[in-house]
Amino acid sequence: MIRIENLTFKYRNSKKNALENIDLSIEDGDFIGIIGKSGAGKSTLTYVINGIIPHHYQGDYYGSVKIDGDDTFDKTPSELSLKIGSVLQDIDSQMVSSVVEDEILYGLENFSIPKDEVEPRLSSSLKELGISSLRYRTIDSLSGGQKQKVAIAAILALRPKMLLLDEPTSELDPKSSVQIFQLLRDLNKKHGITIIVVEQKIMLLSEFAEKLVVMSEGKIVFNGKVRDVMKHSSELERIGINCPRVVTLSNRLIDRGVDIGKVCINLDEAEAMARGLIHG
Amino acid sequence: MKGFLDYVPGNSFLHKLNPLTKLVLSLMICVACFISENHLLLVAIILLNLAIAKAAGILPRGLMLLKGLTKISLVIFLLQLLFIRGGDILITLPLNLLITERGVAMAFVIVFRLIGATMPLALMLSITQMNDLSNVLVTKLKIPYKYAFTLTTAMRFIPIFANEMSGIIEAQASRGVELDTRNIFKKIKFVLPLCVPLLITSVKKIEGSAISAEIRGFHLRTRESCYKGYPIKKSDVGVMFFSAFLVFSAIIVSGA
Amino acid sequence: MVNLQDVFFDYGEGETLKNISCRIDKGEFVAIIGANGAGKTTLCKLLNGLLKPSSGSVVINGMDTGTTKTSTLAKSIGFLFQNPDRQICKNTVREEILFGLELAFNDKVLIAERLENTLSTFGFQGDSNPFNLSRGERQRLALASLIAVEPEILILDEPTTGFDYMESMKTMGMIKELNGKGATVIMICHDMEVVLDFAERVLVLAEGTIIADGQTREIFRKEEALEQASVLPPQLAQLALRLGEGFEDVFSVDEMTDAIMKRMNKERTFEHERFSGLCTG
Ligand SMILES: Nc1ncnc2c1ncn2[C@@H]1O[C@H](COP(=O)(O)OP(=O)(O)OP(=O)(O)O)[C@@H](O)[C@H]1O
Ligand SMILES: Nc1ncnc2c1ncn2[C@@H]1O[C@H](COP(=O)(O)OP(=O)(O)O)[C@@H](O)[C@H]1O
Ligand SMILES: [Mg+2]
Ligand SMILES: [Mg+2]
């Protein structure tokens, strides 16, 4: 459970607030997508949750962030990491080892995972991301997307109860991106793991997330069920966020006077809608 | 142009040695180089280095290192040649410069030393992973993890630096900066201005890696955390003895 | 313009690219798509001579990359890297763009003009420090200094990665504009909506070989090849595939709206006819 109350943050060497009056509650078991233009403060929001702010980046900090009741000021990022696993945005600088296997081992070792559990976790997290064959490769020799998968696998292996991912699919091919989200949905549905994911691909969010937080200029401008947020497609467009094309399609049909019931936000709904229209 | 200090995976006898053994071996080779003034022994050590590279399957890198070091050595050799004096005068040059017998002998010693002592360290870094090294320092030598981590992070800086540099050179060559020229002076002229961005991106990377370590439980780590065991095997003992023998013979030879 | 003949390449651990042959003509807008690790970046680095083929030949504007230096090839090729940071090397945005221009031209007047133009079209503040910009902005800067030069060939490795939607559209618009002036654009891209909207031709790469090559719309109907390359067609193209008959040529929102409405009317007329038929019969 995460409670962010009236949070305002300004980086020390910056003129404007990176976050402004943020109020956000995240319950256990939520699947939340965060979207917004670049520079909107999404990454900064992830930093205040995993404790990188205030422990690593300093600045003017007002308000409070509590993880299961503990203020992030009183816990080090390492302690917070026992509950929250974070995948950061910058892939290249996230690596602490030179070989893939060690990269995954690193967190497992730090968490003192029992020795007999290490190998199963290591191999299963590699397998889940489809990179078992890269296990003994050096990280410098991987392609961009392969590196990103390693970064995600390293966190999944830790099996935290909350997952915080900052643009985890930016360099992934379309199928891998969907696979990552399917994996997140599985973790969320089967194991009740809380998922918070910053993502630019609105199509993935509307397919997989339950709630959507829209940020603009350091503020949260929309926060609610994905479908409810999608109703504001023209306002979203204005702050630089596109809608999935099926939403645009739905709106276009409505404009042309076709009765489609509700706006479709993903492919399945759109298919049902189209079939319904065509076959009466 | 790719890095020459980053880890090269492999399955050789040397790869499988305990990191500690590799560290000892390379340090002892260095020590032997510094003790000895015997040309023959120094050349033998350089050959040994190449043999090590061959055994680890990184001979091309070994030769590349040798070539690079020889280039640097040439400059040092000339300087030493002119400034160390003693023994018979071999050649008298204008400007009151002399080349003496001792000058020649010492110049060779210094150059051989430089080459002989730098190679093993570079080779060791090529076949040892930093994680393994820091784990061994923590578990076997009981150095606190924080220091071991700092040390190995500092060492990791070198390959990161080298890697960034080659990336930057690639990128700049692609925009038309003549970095791929064979003319070394021209190259230096083009590379120098890139030092600032190199430093910025490298520091950013190291900082990112520190943050990333922190959010993956860096502070929770204890001595027992380490997963891989690092047993000292028979082969390790053998190599350690060999290292001792090397230093010993250096002492004997230079004493004689 | 760009000609690859039986190109093979390996990094020393198995073949990364196998038997690549293709020709790209002046003014084409080509997208390269494929799974992570398929060899897209490798292929592009072969085009500007950063990597040399282990066999076969790569010829750009009549120059064989095997014997031409990258810095020479750079006179006709602009290359945007997957990681833009390494391209930026000056202390201000203005100097950065100027540096690229000075490498390409001698004409002071032309340089000054291009510089101001680029600054204003991209909306950059000339004296801001590149290293204080956000990632997206740095990427736009790297691209701006390439576009300023107006190279004959523009190679872009994931130009929209890390961009938000608006940035993507703005940037792609500028690239398209350059393409309109006759530049050849070769772009690696994982965003199929962008590929659909901007590319005319698509190369599909899987495990180091080109498994499909054709007009964009044609490619997005080749389900098998796309599957093999870990690519999903754009959303509405997927919808069209699911709906099947009567939706073969449907890709855009407009086309989909029209197609659905047409089928609705048809269905209604059909029912109407059947109904009237029943009455008379
Ligand atoms: N420097 C290198 N040394 C060894 N192998 C490499 C090197 N660079 C890339 N590879 C390997 O070559 C293959 C192709 O890599 P490439 O970077 O071309 O992929 P890509 O198609 O651009 O992938 P992505 O979409 O993830 O960027 C991958 O398996 C990768 O691991
Ligand atoms: N380390 C930093 N120092 C100073 N300012 C920063 C830093 N990181 C981000 N900012 C600023 O904070 C704002 C929000 O950035 P960020 O959270 O990275 O946005 P997003 O992730 O939504 O793209 C931007 O204006 C950015 O320039
Ligand atoms: Mg961000
Ligand atoms: Mg790539």
Side-chain angles (χ1 to χ4, degrees):
Chain A
M1 195 179 62
I2 300 169
R3 292 261 176 283
I4 302 177
E5 273 167 20
N6 210 2
L7 181 77
T8 296
F9 181 78
K10 183 162 80 69
Y11 286 98
R12 185 187 276 158
N13 49 10
S14 150
K15 287 186 204 78
K16 63 179 207 307
N17 290 337
L19 294 177
E20 220 169 290
N21 294 325
I22 301 284
D23 277 296
L24 183 65
S25 285
I26 298 170
E27 305 302 328
D28 289 342
D30 273 355
F31 191 141
I32 295 190
I34 301 176
I35 194 166
K37 266 174 62 160
S38 100
K42 307 179 295 297
S43 298
T44 309
L45 184 63
T46 67
Y47 294 160
V48 299
I49 294 175
N50 59 25
I52 292 179
I53 294 174
H55 295 282
H56 201 95
Y57 292 123
Q58 274 89 36
D60 301 339
Y61 188 112
Y62 306 96
S64 75
V65 179
K66 292 204 172 78
I67 313 291
D68 288 342
D70 296 322
D71 199 298
T72 53
F73 257 90
D74 308 326
K75 296 264 175 191
T76 64
S78 283
E79 288 169 315
L80 290 169
S81 71
L82 287 169
K83 283 187 182 146
I84 304 179
S86 333
V87 179
L88 305 179
Q89 182 170 12
D90 188 354
I91 309 153
D92 267 322
S93 64
Q94 230 176 110
M95 303 295 170
V96 295
S97 314
S98 44
V99 173
V100 172
E101 182 185 45
D102 287 7
E103 188 64 29
I104 317 268
L105 268 180
Y106 183 77
L108 292 173
E109 291 184 340
N110 289 348
F111 279 31
S112 298
I113 303 296
K115 298 245 149 93
D116 54 343
E117 225 184 282
V118 169
E119 176 55 37
R121 285 212 196 178
L122 179 70
S123 44
S124 76
S125 73
L126 286 173
K127 196 157 143 250
E128 270 163 358
L129 282 134
I131 49 171
S132 301
S133 62
L134 303 179
R135 179 163 174 171
Y136 301 106
R137 288 274 294 274
T138 56
I139 288 172
D140 287 334
S141 76
L142 299 181
S143 79
Q146 289 169 333
K147 271 187 217 166
Q148 193 157 31
K149 290 180 186 175
V150 172
I152 299 171
I155 298 301
L156 285 185
L158 300 176
R159 305 202 181 142
K161 68 170 204 154
M162 296 182 234
L163 270 172
L164 179 62
L165 307 104
D166 196 353
E167 305 198 20
T169 68
S170 58
E171 298 200 21
L172 297 190
D173 61 56
K175 213 191 227 157
S176 305
S177 308
V178 171
Q179 276 162 359
I180 295 285
F181 269 82
Q182 276 164 347
L183 195 63
L184 294 180
R185 176 152 69 188
D186 267 8
L187 290 171
N188 179 254
K189 289 262 156 21
K190 290 201 190 114
H191 304 283
I193 290 174
T194 312
I195 311 279
I196 307 156
V197 54
V198 177
E199 177 60 67
Q200 290 293 356
K201 296 174 191 152
I202 183 81
M203 235 160 58
L204 288 173
L205 288 182
S206 54
E207 183 94 40
F208 291 94
E210 283 156 13
K211 293 185 195 161
L212 203 57
V213 169
V214 181
M215 296 189 65
S216 179
E217 300 182 359
K219 300 186 197 68
I220 293 181
V221 285
F222 292 107
N223 174 11
K225 288 256 158 52
V226 176
R227 183 178 306 282
D228 296 335
V229 174
M230 288 294 165
K231 283 184 190 137
H232 305 275
S233 56
S234 51
E235 282 112 308
L236 290 175
E237 198 87 35
R238 213 167 303 133
I239 55 171
I241 295 159
N242 62 328
C243 284
R245 294 204 178 175
V246 288
V247 172
T248 320
L249 174 70
S250 308
N251 289 335
R252 187 70 54 83
L253 285 166
I254 293 171
D255 288 347
R256 293 250 210 130
V258 182
D259 176 22
I260 60 165
K262 62 181 186 190
V263 169
C264 322
I265 58 172
N266 59 36
L267 202 54
D268 287 337
E269 289 182 12
E271 186 185 359
M273 178 266 293
R275 287 196 191 283
L277 287 177
I278 294 167
H279 302 298
Chain B
M1 191 54 231
K2 197 91 181 97
F4 49 92
L5 290 171
D6 50 336
Y7 177 68
V8 182
N11 261 326
S12 70
F13 163 72
L14 286 158
H15 275 92
K16 285 185 195 141
L17 282 180
N18 191 299
L20 203 57
T21 316
K22 289 185 249 186
L23 186 65
V24 168
L25 175 64
S26 59
L27 286 179
M28 288 307 125
I29 296 180
C30 293
V31 170
C33 279
F34 281 104
I35 294 175
S36 175
E37 284 193 9
N38 183 309
H39 290 154
L40 228 56
L41 187 71
L42 287 171
V43 171
I45 287 177
I46 294 178
L47 289 179
L48 173 70
N49 286 331
L50 285 179
I52 289 176
K54 172 85 177 94
I58 51 171
L59 189 59
R61 179 175 288 201
L63 290 172
M64 201 176 84
L65 262 169
L66 187 60
K67 206 172 117 195
L69 286 168
T70 312
K71 275 188 199 159
I72 302 173
S73 300
L74 217 62
V75 181
I76 297 176
F77 182 80
L78 286 176
L79 289 176
Q80 296 297 334
L81 200 59
L82 297 174
F83 292 116
I84 299 177
R85 290 178 186 183
D88 294 339
I89 295 170
L90 298 179
I91 304 171
T92 313
L93 295 175
L95 294 172
N96 198 18
L97 289 172
L98 301 173
I99 291 182
T100 63
E101 200 180 21
R102 192 172 146 65
V104 174
M106 276 317 282
F108 268 115
V109 167
I110 285 172
V111 163
F112 285 157
R113 253 185 205 164
L114 177 82
I115 298 176
T118 315
M119 279 182 73
L121 291 176
L123 292 177
M124 196 261 304
L125 290 179
S126 304
I127 57 169
T128 314
Q129 282 179 244
M130 285 304 128
N131 288 22
D132 290 338
L133 192 60
S134 80
N135 282 338
V136 155
L137 292 178
V138 172
T139 52
K140 291 278 184 310
L141 296 188
K142 310 290 178 211
I143 294 175
Y145 181 67
K146 245 186 188 154
Y147 298 123
F149 183 81
T150 314
L151 181 76
T152 49
T153 305
M155 293 225 271
R156 242 171 63 80
F157 203 78
I158 302 167
I160 286 184
F161 221 74
N163 208 15
E164 279 305 304
M165 193 67 207
S166 72
I168 290 181
I169 287 182
E170 270 192 357
Q172 296 299 329
S174 307
R175 341 174 31 176
V177 186
E178 264 187 85
L179 281 161
D180 40 9
T181 170
R182 289 203 184 279
N183 181 336
I184 187 95
F185 295 103
K186 230 176 170 181
K187 190 160 182 163
I188 289 174
K189 188 185 114 198
F190 288 125
V191 167
L192 280 183
L194 300 180
C195 287
V196 175
L198 172 66
L199 212 64
I200 291 177
T201 52
S202 304
V203 166
K204 222 158 82 183
K205 245 181 146 174
I206 293 288
E207 191 192 6
S209 156
I211 292 182
S212 171
E214 214 168 325
I215 59 168
R216 277 196 273 159
F218 170 69
H219 288 295
L220 308 171
R221 199 174 178 101
T222 62
R223 188 155 287 155
E224 286 71 43
S225 291
C226 172
Y227 172 65
K228 291 182 190 162
Y230 297 96
I232 304 272
K233 299 179 294 274
K234 275 201 196 106
S235 51
D236 290 301
V237 178
V239 173
M240 297 251 198
F241 268 116
F242 175 73
S243 314
F245 165 75
L246 207 65
V247 175
F248 189 66
S249 46
I251 295 175
I252 298 285
V253 171
S254 61
Chain C
M1 180 108 265
V2 175
N3 207 344
L4 289 93
Q5 204 112 64
D6 307 320
V7 172
F8 284 76
F9 179 82
D10 71 279
Y11 285 105
E13 36 198 283
E15 270 155 3
T16 304
L17 291 178
K18 292 178 276 262
N19 204 11
I20 305 260
S21 294
C22 90
R23 224 186 99 101
I24 295 171
D25 291 319
K26 186 171 159 49
E28 283 196 84
F29 198 129
V30 184
I32 302 176
I33 63 177
N36 293 126
K40 304 178 294 298
T41 301
T42 309
L43 179 59
C44 286
K45 285 188 174 172
L46 279 164
L47 293 181
N48 84 333
L50 281 175
L51 298 174
K52 314 285 184 196
S54 46
S55 72
S57 73
V58 180
V59 179
I60 310 285
N61 270 355
M63 295 177 283
D64 191 317
T65 63
T67 51
T68 317
K69 281 190 296 188
T70 299
S71 54
T72 312
L73 287 165
K75 304 240 178 301
S76 36
I77 304 180
F79 194 108
L80 181 77
F81 281 79
Q82 208 162 345
N83 175 355
D85 285 352
R86 293 169 170 172
Q87 274 174 286
I88 298 170
C89 65
K90 295 287 173 190
N91 289 325
T92 68
V93 167
R94 182 186 302 275
E95 282 174 46
E96 184 61 40
I97 297 173
L98 188 63
F99 183 58
L101 285 165
E102 281 174 343
L103 283 169
F105 306 109
N106 290 321
D107 181 352
K108 287 257 158 30
V109 184
L110 176 83
I111 290 177
E113 188 187 322
R114 290 271 179 97
L115 175 62
E116 291 315 317
N117 268 345
T118 312
L119 282 174
S120 66
T121 36
F122 277 82
F124 281 125
Q125 224 113 47
D127 43 8
S128 47
N129 183 335
F131 290 99
N132 287 344
L133 299 176
S134 75
R135 195 205 126 98
E137 284 171 317
R138 284 202 302 278
Q139 188 155 335
R140 267 162 47 82
L141 173 59
L143 191 64
S145 57
L146 292 181
I147 288 187
V149 177
E150 301 193 356
E152 287 171 72
I153 304 172
L154 197 57
I155 301 178
L156 310 161
D157 196 348
E158 303 191 21
T160 61
T161 292
F163 278 1
D164 60 54
Y165 171 71
M166 295 282 265
E167 280 175 328
S168 294
M169 287 304 136
K170 261 200 307 210
T171 313
M172 289 310 300
M174 285 175 203
I175 294 167
K176 188 82 197 175
E177 200 177 303
L178 194 64
N179 176 243
K181 290 187 198 163
T184 311
V185 178
I186 301 168
M187 158 182 91
I188 297 175
C189 191
H190 286 307
D191 186 339
M192 294 308 133
E193 313 278 348
V194 171
V195 173
L196 176 65
D197 289 352
F198 293 95
E200 292 150 8
R201 174 177 165 197
V202 176
L203 298 180
V204 186
L205 210 58
E207 289 172 20
T209 43
I210 296 181
I211 57 165
D213 175 358
Q215 298 293 309
T216 307
R217 289 181 164 223
E218 206 177 288
I219 293 291
F220 282 135
R221 284 291 178 256
K222 297 196 171 162
E223 282 179 274
E224 240 171 80
L226 295 180
E227 172 73 26
Q228 206 185 330
S230 289
V231 171
L232 298 168
Q235 198 173 32
L236 290 184
Q238 284 184 56
L239 180 59
L241 277 172
R242 287 191 186 190
L243 293 174
E245 203 190 326
F247 288 87
E248 287 85 1
D249 290 322
V250 176
F251 289 89
S252 68
V253 171
D254 289 335
E255 291 164 357
M256 184 57 86
T257 316
D258 290 344
I260 289 178
M261 295 199 54
K262 200 165 125 209
R263 293 288 304 257
M264 276 167 67
N265 294 337
K266 206 195 239 163
E267 204 74 26
R268 252 176 233 137
T269 347
F270 178 66
E271 256 168 49
H272 184 76
E273 274 165 12
R274 198 175 50 177
F275 187 66
S276 38
L278 273 177
C279 282
T280 46

